[in-house]
Each structure stands twice: as structure tokens, then as C-alpha cells.
Amino acid sequence: MLNHKKLLTISIPTWNRDYLLYELLEKLISQVINDRLTEVVEILISNNGSTDKTHEICKNFAENHSFISYYKNEVNIGARANVIRSMKLARSSYLMFLGDDDRLSSNAILKIINLLKTNSNLGLILDISRSKLNEIEENTFIDLSYLLKNYYWYLGNAGLFIIKSDYVKDALKNKNYESFNSSWPQTQIIILGLNENPDDSILISKLDLVSEAVHDQVMVYNSYYLWRTCHFDLFSAINSIKNEITNSSFENALKYLKSNVQQLFFNILQCGVFVDNINIKLKTAKHIFKNMWKFSIKEICYFSTMVFVLILPNFISRPFSNIAIYLIKGNSGLKKKSVFVLNERIKKINFEKQKTNAIRPFEFDPEKA
């Protein structure tokens, strides 16, 4: 075990989003100072070779606040490697991963510190405030299989988590950065850590730690991104560590994916049919068709329909999709689709006009067919 000096590290990987990072750091620093947490909290930034003002901003903050640790990669080492590196460098007993476009609610850090101090032997704290599953009571301890069956997607950027820092170090003893999934390396690390330490507790709670993030404002969505990050890469992530975890954990992760395939279908329709250009639609359809045979019969049925709709001309696919969305989600689904489509079209226009990299699509590194 490491000789940890602090209780919590907030790890922040970043690249060319200087103004977003500045806003985040100001809010985090304010919480740490106002709640008198400077002795127990470390804010750690890993700058992935940014070419904007990120270095100057981080250097200035680090020079003025002893609880800030700043690291700079001289070149861009890829999103996956920088995510893992930002976690590996943590010098506290526990770490929390934040994107530069995440924002915490007031007193969120203090809530976490209090939980860590009052609960011994914690392996994971997961904030499930944004989950639609309401059967769990506040501050509930569960096992890994239940966690994967009900909250698999939340074990990453989709949900705020706090884990033992040693999980990262232990995972990297036998694996290099390239061994992890490009979309969900943190998820694999969490699962491996909990699997190797069955005596560690898993605490889920509706803490409302996340305030309004700016992720939706700076991420350009498309059907390929949604297919990869919300399903295919989650499947690949759990499948690649299948032999390192229990069969129950593996099967429950697959059950989670299967149970959420209808929501994926809705997301693909509203984005692929109403937002994407023909090249993205065909790219998505090709990738789904090539890989859908790995999944269950239920999933294959949905995926086959996705492929069929994506390759249809717009004058056929759009009315078909509106009918399907209505049948799945009703009028509220159609309204939600209209708002999403409008926002994404505006975002794409801004992305094409902008002179910075703040607004950008997700890049899979390395890209795999």
C-alpha cells in the first residue's frame, strides 16, 4: 500500500479547453478553501499537450495553491492514456475523476469527504442521482454483480464515482495503457479493483454531486459515437476482462446492456436519422452490421432495424423514425427529439465555424473497425 498523505484526489485530464478548465478550477478551489479541506484534498491536472492557454492557467493556480498538482505531457498521448495517467498520479487514498466540462454542486467535495471519513473499507462510492432506477434507498451497500446489472453505464463519465487510488496502480502492474478500452478505461479499472478486493464495500447513494455540466454544449454527438460509447465499447470493455472477473459479474454487465437496448435504439434514431450526414450514417450502419452478431437475439433485432433505417433515404427514414419514436416514447419523445436535433444542428454549425478545439466530437484512439 502507498503511504497516502491526503484522503481525496480530484483527477482532471484536459486538452485545449482552457476557459472550461479555468471555470472548473475556480469552483473546485472555492469549495476546498471555503469548506477547509486543503489538508485532505488534492486537485490534480494532467494537461495532454494543449496548445492554448491551459499551461499558463494551470501553472498559475498550482503556484498559488499548494493542494494543486500539475502535470504536462509534452505531446498529446491520446485521451485514453491521459485519463489513466491522471488517475495513476493521484497521491491520495481515494480519487474522483472529473472531465474539464464537468461541474460539481455546492458542498459536493465536503459530502464526499464526510462519507470517506465515516465509512471504513470503502472501495467505491457511486452517485446514482441521475439514474432512473429508484428501488435503492439512500446510502445502500451492494455487491459487484448487482452494481453491473443496474449501473454498468454509470461506472465512468456517465456517473460520478470515487474509488481507491490503489485500484489504478494495481491494474497497471500487469497492463499498459493500450490494454484498456478507449472509451471506458476507468470503468475497467473500477471493475478489476472491486473484483480483486471483494472485502471492499460498494456504496451507492443519491448525493446530487453533479451540477449542470457543460458536456452537452461542447460534445458534438453522432450515431457512431452513441453506438460505440453507449453499447459496443461497453460490451468490448467487459468482454476484454471476462477472464479476470467472476462469471456472475460478466453476465450481469451483459444483462444491463440488453435491458437498455431500447433506449439506445431511440438515441440512434434521433441522432442518426435527423442529425448525421450520409457518411456518418453509413459508418454507423457498417460498424453495427459487422459486430451485431456478437450480441443476444433481442439486441440483434434492434440492431438490424437500426442498420435498415440508417441506410434508407431521408424522405423514408424520417417519418418511419418519428413513428417508432412515438411508439416507444410517445409525444414527449417526439418533443425531446426535436429539441435534441435543433441543439445538435446549432452545435455542429458552431463547431465548423470555431477557431478552437473546445467543441469537438469524441475520438476513439486508436480507431478500431
Side-chain angles (χ1 to χ4, degrees), residues 336-352:
K336 181 179 179 181
K337 181 268 298 182
S338 297
V339 172
F340 172 83
V341 170
L342 177 62
N343 289 339
E344 286 306 303
R345 288 176 176 173
I346 293 172
K347 199 189 305 177
K348 287 178 72 175
I349 293 172
N350 292 335
F351 171 64
E352 292 169 357

Side-chain angles (χ1 to χ4, degrees), residues 128-158:
I128 58 167
S129 301
R130 299 193 173 190
S131 169
K132 296 178 181 179
L133 187 67
N134 295 314
E135 64 182 48
I136 292 293
E137 296 181 359
E138 187 74 5
N139 291 346
T140 300
F141 291 94
I142 61 173
D143 62 22
L144 179 56
S145 291
Y146 187 93
L147 176 74
L148 292 171
K149 183 179 179 180
N150 295 281
Y151 303 105
Y152 180 31
W153 184 61
Y154 290 87
L155 297 180
N157 285 347

Side-chain angles (χ1 to χ4, degrees), residues 325-343:
I325 290 171
Y326 176 79
L327 292 175
I328 296 172
K329 298 286 186 177
N331 284 323
S332 61
L334 288 175
K335 292 179 181 178
K336 181 179 179 181
K337 181 268 298 182
S338 297
V339 172
F340 172 83
V341 170
L342 177 62
N343 289 339

Side-chain angles (χ1 to χ4, degrees), residues 179-194:
S179 301
F180 291 92
N181 186 268
S182 60
S183 302
W184 301 100
Q186 61 274 36
T187 301
Q188 291 172 303
I189 289 171
I190 294 170
I191 296 170
L192 289 171
L194 292 172

Side-chain angles (χ1 to χ4, degrees), residues 21 53 69 100 105 147 162 168 201 226 235 251 259 270 293 301 312 314 316 339:
L21 181 65
K53 296 182 180 179
S69 302
D100 49 30
S105 58
L147 176 74
I162 298 93
V168 184
S201 300
L226 294 172
F235 171 81
E251 292 296 333
S259 67
Q270 68 172 359
W293 315 107
C301 290
L312 288 173
N314 286 341
I316 298 176
V339 172

Side-chain angles (χ1 to χ4, degrees), residues 97-109:
F97 171 85
L98 286 183
D100 49 30
D101 53 357
D102 287 325
R103 298 293 181 266
L104 295 182
S105 58
S106 59
N107 301 121
I109 303 175

